[in-house]
Amino acid sequence: MKYLKLALLALVAVFATTSCMDDDWKDPNSETSPYGNNSIQETNVVSIAELKNTYGPKQKDEINDTVRIADGTQIKGIVTGNDIEGNIYSQISIQDDSDKPGIIISVAQGGLSGQLQIGQEVLINVGGLYYGTYRSQPQLGVAYHDSSKDQNYPSRISRADWQNRFKVIGKPDASKIKVQVFSTNPDASKGELNVADLLDADVAYKYAGCLVTLKGVEFAMGDGKTTLAPEDEGKTLGYGVTRYFKGYDKTNKQIGIRTSCYAEFAANLVPQGVVDVTGVLSCYKSSAKYNHTVQLALRRFSDIKASESK
């Protein structure tokens, strides 16, 4: 009986090992992501443009507002922005192919770049979430009511809820991302727009949440001494600092980059000379009576390059 029991235990161990190996054999190329919810199937996918048209208020007129998205609604897109160098905090941005519309999703989780790399296609269940604006910037999240100001806006999705809502599709491919270019000397044949076009609210909010490149710009404070986001300066500004471009650093004509004081490159000097800057575009204003401010959020410091248009 003793030897029989030992033989049975050994046989059980063999079956258990085989079962585990079978799972590996079914997925030899690691196509099944360890993150998110792999059981999600495409059932009711709408484009990001459709989502924004259906649920979006007139962003340039609404400062803080939310509307609930119908149950069962899904979107699919390519990740264009994450927290790879700590600047885009508790957010990702995605966009699809329908005229490059993008959207920012607010998530209460760090280390998102480890799960959703730049260029990663993702399917997301957005039913029951809220589309809305925070200081006029459109984004997705959960409903939050600020009782002190009697305002509603989308806030961060909990980590557990978020992990159940998304499915990773294939492998990251940053070449799939379509970047809208705004240039100081635009080439219309390449579909480039003028940087000054972003002063038009309709244009700016159309591309809010998208990855864009501004070509041939120069920082107003590129003096070789000023850093991007010193903490002393940012502590009264939500620990983020905006550095504007020359010609766009005055009231009502503001375009620049906003850097978190906790970004890995916060202490870097503001670049000098003419540069090309790529980032996730956002639009903000604190009151409907003010014009919008255009801000780009860098994914990494290398998103600033010496200009090709010099």
Side-chain angles (χ1 to χ4, degrees), residues 86-284:
N87 190 42
I88 299 176
Y89 179 70
S90 293
Q91 292 180 337
I92 63 165
S93 58
I94 69 169
Q95 65 188 60
D96 59 27
D97 294 334
S98 53
D99 197 25
K100 309 183 192 70
I103 198 162
I104 292 171
I105 304 174
S106 186
V107 183
Q109 182 175 343
L112 289 169
S113 60
Q115 300 183 11
L116 295 169
Q117 299 177 43
I118 302 299
Q120 177 64 64
E121 187 174 18
V122 61
L123 174 68
I124 306 173
N125 279 335
V126 295
L129 295 180
Y130 285 75
Y131 179 94
T133 54
Y134 175 70
R135 294 191 175 183
S136 82
Q137 168 60 38
Q139 63 186 44
L140 283 177
V142 295
Y144 178 78
H145 178 71
D146 185 340
S147 57
S148 64
K149 299 178 180 179
D150 193 25
Q151 294 176 340
N152 299 309
Y153 56 84
S155 187
R156 297 169 187 163
I157 306 164
S158 73
R159 178 173 182 168
D161 187 16
W162 171 245
Q163 288 294 320
N164 193 49
R165 284 183 175 273
F166 77 89
K167 178 182 181 179
V168 169
I169 302 173
K171 295 183 180 299
D173 183 358
S175 68
K176 293 181 179 179
I177 300 172
K178 296 182 179 180
V179 183
Q180 177 60 54
V181 175
F182 293 83
S183 176
T184 52
N185 185 26
D187 184 342
S189 67
K190 295 181 180 179
E192 296 179 355
L193 299 175
N194 197 304
V195 172
D197 291 338
L198 290 170
L199 298 177
D200 183 326
D202 288 333
V203 175
Y205 283 98
K206 175 181 178 179
Y207 291 100
C210 295
L211 191 67
V212 305
T213 295
L214 306 189
K215 290 176 61 176
V217 293
E218 189 172 357
F219 285 98
M221 299 185 71
D223 54 10
K225 300 176 182 179
T226 304
T227 57
L228 288 172
E231 190 169 339
D232 284 347
E233 185 176 347
K235 64 185 178 182
T236 59
L237 301 169
Y239 289 95
V241 177
T242 302
R243 298 300 186 206
Y244 297 102
F245 301 115
K246 285 185 178 180
Y248 302 100
D249 56 338
K250 304 297 182 182
T251 302
N252 298 331
K253 292 185 178 181
Q254 296 178 317
I255 303 174
I257 67 167
R258 184 168 176 83
T259 304
S260 167
C261 296
Y262 304 112
E264 293 179 15
F265 50 85
N268 289 15
L269 292 173
V270 175
Q272 297 177 283
V274 182
V275 293
D276 297 340
V277 182
T278 298
V280 179
L281 188 147
S282 59
C283 301
Y284 286 95

